[in-house]
Amino acid sequence: MTIKGVLFDFSGTLFRIESTRSWLRAVLAKAELTLPEPELTRTAQALESAGALAGGASPSLPLPPDLAGVWAVRDESAELHRAAYTGVSRQVPLPDPRLYDALYDRHMVPDAWHPYPDAAEVLGALRERGVAVGVVSNIGWDLRPVFREHGLDPYVGAYVLSYEHGIQKPDPRLFATACDALGVAAEDTLMVGDDRRADGGAAALGCGVHFVDHLPVADRPDGLRPVLDLVG
């Protein structure tokens, strides 16, 4: 297999969202509100259990029946994405009802995201080798500013975002759209992601697939480097 293009997932692959505690603390500070540390810790844990932070942990509690349907297709539009995440966050009491939308807005800010330590190195090496790079993400908002803010945008030839197409991974059509955008055949393309179900959908199109572990940034300093060996 000659790799001419590499598609990367966003969250958990190239970037990692801040911790739930940091996320909540930043929103409270902007609203000029405070919680005692024990209460802040409990609230952050409850939000994490609810799956309220997009890009963070999946819900560990059953979804409310009125949200289950929206959750399943949340990445197909911006409206569904916001409704799903603000919906689950509302399961957790907060000192001001405006905080639910503020929490959602915070997760779209570039400062809330951190690239993995080897992301720039790997993307730069791929460009030097003439390998096309695309980003394919199940998401409900425009992640391009995150890449620009962190200096990774120059390495990306195409962004294919689920909410812009009304299709979410593992639907092979989203990967096909990305391959077409890069001008690379599926059989010459490698998909790199952290979700075996969603990102593994690229295999149905004929792409190679490589998985990385969705870990905190400090715990995964070189998880992307094997991609360079696969490309050759």
Side-chain angles (χ1 to χ4, degrees), residues 7 134-136 158-160 165 172-184 189 205:
L7 303 176
V135 171
V136 184
Y159 296 92
V160 177
H165 298 274
R173 291 177 295 170
L174 201 64
F175 303 106
T177 298
C179 290
D180 289 345
L182 292 181
V184 178
T189 303
L205 194 66

Side-chain angles (χ1 to χ4, degrees), residues 10-11 17 20 23 46-60 63-64 66-92 94 97 99-108 113 137-141 162-163 168 195 214:
F10 167 54
S11 175
I17 190 69
T20 311
W23 172 58
L47 287 166
E48 186 161 327
S49 296
L53 175 55
S58 298
S60 60
L63 289 167
D66 61 325
L67 276 179
V70 173
W71 188 264
V73 294
R74 65 191 181 280
D75 296 312
E76 292 184 3
S77 77
E79 295 76 18
L80 288 168
H81 197 266
R82 180 180 285 272
Y85 282 101
T86 56
V88 294
S89 71
R90 285 189 174 93
Q91 297 178 91
V92 180
L94 294 176
L99 291 175
Y100 297 109
D101 278 312
L103 282 169
Y104 184 84
D105 293 339
R106 165 68 189 179
H107 101 275
M108 298 184 286
W113 293 90
S137 178
N138 278 354
I139 199 166
W141 50 277
S162 61
Y163 84 102
Q168 60 187 33
D195 187 319
H214 189 157

